[in-house]
Amino acid sequence: MSQKKAMLIDVTLCVGCNACQGACKEENQLPPSDEKYLSLTAFTALSKYNDLYIRRMCQHCDVPTCVSVCPVGALTKMEAGPVAYDGEKCIGCRYCLQACPFHVPKYEWSSTQPRIQKCKFCASRLAQGRPPACAEACPTGATKFGDRDGLLAEAAGRISAEPTKFVPRIYGRDDVGGTSMLYISPVPFEQLGFDARLGKTPLPMLTMSALSKVPNVLSVGGVMLGGIWWITNRRSEVQAFEATEKKNRPSRHEDNP
Amino acid sequence: MSFPGLPRMTGWRPIATILILAGAVAATARFAFGLGATTNLSDAFPWGLWIGFDFLGIGLAASGFTIVAAVNLFHAKEYEPIVRPAILTAFIGYLLVVLVLIIDLGRPDHFWHPMVMWNPKSVMCEISWCLMLYTTVLSLEFAPIILEKFNIHAPIKWIHAISLPLMIFGVLLSTLHQSSFGSLYLIVPNRLHALWYTPLLPVLFFVSCIASGISMVILESLILSRGGRDYLPTPLRANLAKIIAVTLAVYTVVRLQDLLARGALRELTTLTYYSLAFYAELLIGFVIPFALLLVERIRTSRRGLYAASLMVVVGFAFNRMNTAITGLEQYPTQTYFPSLIEVFIMLGITAVGFSAFSFIVKHFPIFEGAAVAPGLHHTAVAAQANPGFLSPDGGDLEPS
């Protein structure tokens, strides 16, 4: 049985009260102010499309791109779902910023000891069996916390109960291999600023297709180069030998006529 | 001590001094105030000019492994005289790139973390390891030149003893990380423009670095021969030019075929910010020099070869900068242009490289005579001097 946690965000229920951001800021001790975009001080933010509000935050992917690209393993995927970050390991290469398909990590550019900042999926609260601060604060149930399998079933149920109200898609179910944040919406997700080109394959697979060839390059390449050296070296040895032979033979004839 | 092979560059010294000082000031500012205050990097554009410089430096230093492989593994011994300059170029190039990488890191004090904290799924981790290991290989290949000068022979013997596996390892590491710089971008199919994003990025990066690396060797030899002595005969240089032409042709065919297969060729039918950048790169760096190098008179003419090689290098720079910067820009809403501090740090470090090169050339035997590269040359020489060991009884040959 899967213990993987998730959040279901029902776009039709969100009224744009921004309580989620307020609770998030309190939980993470960030300066309280309304912010429209993800930033160092806003790990979640609401963006408005016509009458609809969309919550942005780290999607806590099942096969996270950031975790795969981090050279030192500063980013890790926890069993319960959160993608955790260890600033003590981070070397600041910023590959995660470059690679994240959702443009989530934000960098402390003004610091001389910068770290990235992003939603933590309230990992410490999850460990205590409590829901994330934002889900707890949501007054309308637009953000609901629970087991991922259960929430997927619930989302499917809501869509089939009111097929005219929702587009038949749960965003995050298989997008980039599945995420911990699941969305259902009354309009196509492209109209809500979601990237429609991401596909279902986890992005780290694209890298693996190249990286998996490394052992082959090393072993086959090593043997091949060694072989080439052996052949060419042998050839020049033989040439050198034949050259000396030619030089020596006539001189011997002269010595013994 | 005067050296006849040095380029005559009047005013080089004051310019280099100014660039290095300006770079040092810029670097101090970067460490004192952080990346945000001193660069134009941002969350939307986390990699910029410095990463482009790294690509460039590594690509142009590719001569280190191609020439070593050609001479010591494939026994193209006639190119022996350029082994040392190629190794020196590569060694300096790699040291500079490592330096820029460390400056580029948000936490330069954590630069050693990849040595102890691994993530085998990360291309960046693989590149870090390749860079560390290959720089070590280069330092071992380079060390005999320094040690010889000071008459320290014991370590040279040890290095010679392991030279074959060392060189093979070096060539393999180069193959890996030259292509891995392309693999870095495999994970951003949604961000990198279709003219540059392709699953073939690692292959294309590898093929193009061979052309640019050899072009650098040709340029070096041409510039240095202005001093009077030419250490690379014209026919040999023309042969290298042939190899470049073949590489350019392979690259161009693969690149265009890939664009066709992915349906990205139509991006080229209109003149846009991106298609112009692409045309600049492909025409200057690949198509025109390929056409030029087909002509024998150009391959054997210094001026013609100089122009063609320079075009390859410039086009290569375009290609890497386009992949690292242009292709990731969202023109015209989100673009990136480096800050002065970024530029000065890059120029300063480049000046350090050129100065180090001319200093080492001046004081160490890089271009002199039968350069004995670290490697199997010794055994080959030994075999020629004493071929008796080739025949089992040896009685056939009389000692002279």
Side-chain angles (χ1 to χ4, degrees), chain B residues 45-59:
Chain B
F45 232 95
W47 292 353
L49 180 70
W50 292 337
I51 287 280
F53 175 86
D54 296 333
F55 287 3
L56 213 61
I58 293 297

PDB file of all heavy atoms in Angstrom, chain B residues 45-59:
ATOM      1  N   PHE B  45      17.255  32.980 -15.698  1.00  0.00           N
ATOM      2  CA  PHE B  45      18.470  32.758 -16.476  1.00  0.00           C
ATOM      3  C   PHE B  45      19.641  32.427 -15.559  1.00  0.00           C
ATOM      4  O   PHE B  45      20.557  33.220 -15.388  1.00  0.00           O
ATOM      5  CB  PHE B  45      18.781  33.993 -17.321  1.00  0.00           C
ATOM      6  CG  PHE B  45      18.987  33.623 -18.754  1.00  0.00           C
ATOM      7  CD1 PHE B  45      17.952  33.707 -19.659  1.00  0.00           C
ATOM      8  CD2 PHE B  45      20.212  33.144 -19.179  1.00  0.00           C
ATOM      9  CE1 PHE B  45      18.127  33.330 -20.971  1.00  0.00           C
ATOM     10  CE2 PHE B  45      20.391  32.761 -20.497  1.00  0.00           C
ATOM     11  CZ  PHE B  45      19.351  32.861 -21.389  1.00  0.00           C
ATOM     12  N   PRO B  46      19.589  31.220 -14.965  1.00  0.00           N
ATOM     13  CA  PRO B  46      20.587  30.902 -13.933  1.00  0.00           C
ATOM     14  C   PRO B  46      21.996  30.640 -14.463  1.00  0.00           C
ATOM     15  O   PRO B  46      22.944  30.686 -13.701  1.00  0.00           O
ATOM     16  CB  PRO B  46      20.014  29.656 -13.265  1.00  0.00           C
ATOM     17  CG  PRO B  46      19.120  29.040 -14.282  1.00  0.00           C
ATOM     18  CD  PRO B  46      18.592  30.161 -15.130  1.00  0.00           C
ATOM     19  N   TRP B  47      22.114  30.335 -15.763  1.00  0.00           N
ATOM     20  CA  TRP B  47      23.436  30.117 -16.359  1.00  0.00           C
ATOM     21  C   TRP B  47      23.649  31.139 -17.452  1.00  0.00           C
ATOM     22  O   TRP B  47      22.771  31.376 -18.264  1.00  0.00           O
ATOM     23  CB  TRP B  47      23.549  28.736 -16.984  1.00  0.00           C
ATOM     24  CG  TRP B  47      23.527  27.600 -16.017  1.00  0.00           C
ATOM     25  CD1 TRP B  47      23.552  27.681 -14.649  1.00  0.00           C
ATOM     26  CD2 TRP B  47      23.468  26.208 -16.334  1.00  0.00           C
ATOM     27  NE1 TRP B  47      23.509  26.423 -14.115  1.00  0.00           N
ATOM     28  CE2 TRP B  47      23.459  25.506 -15.116  1.00  0.00           C
ATOM     29  CE3 TRP B  47      23.435  25.494 -17.525  1.00  0.00           C
ATOM     30  CZ2 TRP B  47      23.413  24.111 -15.057  1.00  0.00           C
ATOM     31  CZ3 TRP B  47      23.385  24.122 -17.464  1.00  0.00           C
ATOM     32  CH2 TRP B  47      23.383  23.442 -16.248  1.00  0.00           C
ATOM     33  N   GLY B  48      24.852  31.702 -17.506  1.00  0.00           N
ATOM     34  CA  GLY B  48      25.083  32.734 -18.507  1.00  0.00           C
ATOM     35  C   GLY B  48      26.432  32.630 -19.183  1.00  0.00           C
ATOM     36  O   GLY B  48      26.861  31.557 -19.603  1.00  0.00           O
ATOM     37  N   LEU B  49      27.089  33.775 -19.258  1.00  0.00           N
ATOM     38  CA  LEU B  49      28.334  33.886 -20.008  1.00  0.00           C
ATOM     39  C   LEU B  49      29.393  32.892 -19.539  1.00  0.00           C
ATOM     40  O   LEU B  49      30.113  32.308 -20.344  1.00  0.00           O
ATOM     41  CB  LEU B  49      28.873  35.321 -19.868  1.00  0.00           C
ATOM     42  CG  LEU B  49      30.182  35.612 -20.590  1.00  0.00           C
ATOM     43  CD1 LEU B  49      29.951  35.620 -22.090  1.00  0.00           C
ATOM     44  CD2 LEU B  49      30.764  36.938 -20.143  1.00  0.00           C
ATOM     45  N   TRP B  50      29.484  32.706 -18.229  1.00  0.00           N
ATOM     46  CA  TRP B  50      30.565  31.863 -17.714  1.00  0.00           C
ATOM     47  C   TRP B  50      30.418  30.411 -18.150  1.00  0.00           C
ATOM     48  O   TRP B  50      31.402  29.737 -18.445  1.00  0.00           O
ATOM     49  CB  TRP B  50      30.630  31.969 -16.182  1.00  0.00           C
ATOM     50  CG  TRP B  50      31.069  33.325 -15.727  1.00  0.00           C
ATOM     51  CD1 TRP B  50      31.789  34.232 -16.448  1.00  0.00           C
ATOM     52  CD2 TRP B  50      30.802  33.937 -14.471  1.00  0.00           C
ATOM     53  NE1 TRP B  50      31.995  35.369 -15.701  1.00  0.00           N
ATOM     54  CE2 TRP B  50      31.401  35.214 -14.485  1.00  0.00           C
ATOM     55  CE3 TRP B  50      30.125  33.522 -13.318  1.00  0.00           C
ATOM     56  CZ2 TRP B  50      31.341  36.083 -13.399  1.00  0.00           C
ATOM     57  CZ3 TRP B  50      30.066  34.389 -12.242  1.00  0.00           C
ATOM     58  CH2 TRP B  50      30.674  35.660 -12.281  1.00  0.00           C
ATOM     59  N   ILE B  51      29.174  29.941 -18.163  1.00  0.00           N
ATOM     60  CA  ILE B  51      28.958  28.570 -18.633  1.00  0.00           C
ATOM     61  C   ILE B  51      29.337  28.488 -20.115  1.00  0.00           C
ATOM     62  O   ILE B  51      29.973  27.522 -20.558  1.00  0.00           O
ATOM     63  CB  ILE B  51      27.487  28.146 -18.415  1.00  0.00           C
ATOM     64  CG1 ILE B  51      27.220  27.888 -16.936  1.00  0.00           C
ATOM     65  CG2 ILE B  51      27.133  26.935 -19.257  1.00  0.00           C
ATOM     66  CD1 ILE B  51      27.691  26.544 -16.423  1.00  0.00           C
ATOM     67  N   GLY B  52      28.969  29.533 -20.885  1.00  0.00           N
ATOM     68  CA  GLY B  52      29.367  29.578 -22.288  1.00  0.00           C
ATOM     69  C   GLY B  52      30.884  29.524 -22.426  1.00  0.00           C
ATOM     70  O   GLY B  52      31.427  28.811 -23.268  1.00  0.00           O
ATOM     71  N   PHE B  53      31.575  30.264 -21.551  1.00  0.00           N
ATOM     72  CA  PHE B  53      33.043  30.259 -21.568  1.00  0.00           C
ATOM     73  C   PHE B  53      33.586  28.860 -21.269  1.00  0.00           C
ATOM     74  O   PHE B  53      34.542  28.408 -21.896  1.00  0.00           O
ATOM     75  CB  PHE B  53      33.574  31.251 -20.527  1.00  0.00           C
ATOM     76  CG  PHE B  53      35.076  31.224 -20.374  1.00  0.00           C
ATOM     77  CD1 PHE B  53      35.879  31.977 -21.209  1.00  0.00           C
ATOM     78  CD2 PHE B  53      35.674  30.433 -19.411  1.00  0.00           C
ATOM     79  CE1 PHE B  53      37.258  31.939 -21.082  1.00  0.00           C
ATOM     80  CE2 PHE B  53      37.053  30.385 -19.273  1.00  0.00           C
ATOM     81  CZ  PHE B  53      37.843  31.141 -20.114  1.00  0.00           C
ATOM     82  N   ASP B  54      32.960  28.178 -20.333  1.00  0.00           N
ATOM     83  CA  ASP B  54      33.404  26.821 -19.997  1.00  0.00           C
ATOM     84  C   ASP B  54      33.288  25.900 -21.216  1.00  0.00           C
ATOM     85  O   ASP B  54      34.203  25.139 -21.517  1.00  0.00           O
ATOM     86  CB  ASP B  54      32.564  26.248 -18.847  1.00  0.00           C
ATOM     87  CG  ASP B  54      32.755  27.035 -17.571  1.00  0.00           C
ATOM     88  OD1 ASP B  54      33.828  27.647 -17.409  1.00  0.00           O
ATOM     89  OD2 ASP B  54      31.842  27.060 -16.739  1.00  0.00           O
ATOM     90  N   PHE B  55      32.145  25.988 -21.892  1.00  0.00           N
ATOM     91  CA  PHE B  55      31.946  25.173 -23.090  1.00  0.00           C
ATOM     92  C   PHE B  55      33.037  25.446 -24.106  1.00  0.00           C
ATOM     93  O   PHE B  55      33.600  24.548 -24.723  1.00  0.00           O
ATOM     94  CB  PHE B  55      30.610  25.507 -23.747  1.00  0.00           C
ATOM     95  CG  PHE B  55      29.431  24.993 -23.000  1.00  0.00           C
ATOM     96  CD1 PHE B  55      29.594  24.341 -21.800  1.00  0.00           C
ATOM     97  CD2 PHE B  55      28.160  25.149 -23.500  1.00  0.00           C
ATOM     98  CE1 PHE B  55      28.511  23.860 -21.103  1.00  0.00           C
ATOM     99  CE2 PHE B  55      27.057  24.670 -22.817  1.00  0.00           C
ATOM    100  CZ  PHE B  55      27.232  24.027 -21.625  1.00  0.00           C
ATOM    101  N   LEU B  56      33.303  26.742 -24.258  1.00  0.00           N
ATOM    102  CA  LEU B  56      34.264  27.186 -25.249  1.00  0.00           C
ATOM    103  C   LEU B  56      35.658  26.692 -24.894  1.00  0.00           C
ATOM    104  O   LEU B  56      36.363  26.113 -25.722  1.00  0.00           O
ATOM    105  CB  LEU B  56      34.246  28.713 -25.219  1.00  0.00           C
ATOM    106  CG  LEU B  56      34.484  29.410 -26.507  1.00  0.00           C
ATOM    107  CD1 LEU B  56      33.384  29.006 -27.451  1.00  0.00           C
ATOM    108  CD2 LEU B  56      34.415  30.913 -26.267  1.00  0.00           C
ATOM    109  N   GLY B  57      36.050  26.936 -23.631  1.00  0.00           N
ATOM    110  CA  GLY B  57      37.384  26.563 -23.179  1.00  0.00           C
ATOM    111  C   GLY B  57      37.620  25.075 -23.339  1.00  0.00           C
ATOM    112  O   GLY B  57      38.649  24.634 -23.860  1.00  0.00           O
ATOM    113  N   ILE B  58      36.630  24.290 -22.916  1.00  0.00           N
ATOM    114  CA  ILE B  58      36.786  22.836 -22.989  1.00  0.00           C
ATOM    115  C   ILE B  58      36.842  22.389 -24.448  1.00  0.00           C
ATOM    116  O   ILE B  58      37.654  21.542 -24.828  1.00  0.00           O
ATOM    117  CB  ILE B  58      35.611  22.147 -22.252  1.00  0.00           C
ATOM    118  CG1 ILE B  58      35.686  22.431 -20.765  1.00  0.00           C
ATOM    119  CG2 ILE B  58      35.603  20.660 -22.507  1.00  0.00           C
ATOM    120  CD1 ILE B  58      36.908  21.905 -20.074  1.00  0.00           C
ATOM    121  N   GLY B  59      35.981  22.993 -25.273  1.00  0.00           N
ATOM    122  CA  GLY B  59      35.949  22.594 -26.683  1.00  0.00           C
ATOM    123  C   GLY B  59      37.244  22.935 -27.395  1.00  0.00           C
ATOM    124  O   GLY B  59      37.768  22.133 -28.173  1.00  0.00           O
TER     125      GLY B  59
END
